Amino acid sequence: MTITVQCPTCSAPVEWKAENTYRPFCCERCKLIDLGAWAAEEHAIPGNDLEDEMFSGDLPTRPH
C-alpha cells in the first residue's frame, strides 16, 4: 500500500516512499520555494513573547 500526500507548495499528489527524495514535496522546485518562504520569514513557529523579551538582551548587537 502506497501513501499519497499533497505537496505543501503546489498541492500535487506525492507518493510517500523512500525513492522520493523530495518528500513531502513533489520536486526540488517546490522544496526550494518553501525554503525561501522560511528564509523570508513568511512562515514562523510561534514563540513566547515574554521569553523573547527576556533573552533578547543577551544577544550581541550586530553592526549594519
Side-chain angles (χ1 to χ4, degrees), residues 11-58:
S11 299
V14 178
E15 288 188 6
W16 193 273
K17 57 184 179 179
E19 295 83 31
N20 182 353
T21 57
Y22 302 114
R23 68 177 186 256
F25 304 98
C26 63
C27 62
E28 183 177 22
R29 179 180 179 272
C30 283
K31 179 180 169 182
L32 292 175
I33 289 170
D34 185 73
L35 177 62
W38 280 99
E41 297 184 354
E42 294 171 15
H43 299 310
I45 298 172
N48 182 330
D49 290 337
L50 178 60
E51 187 175 290
D52 291 344
E53 287 179 25
M54 287 173 47
F55 295 107
S56 63
D58 296 342

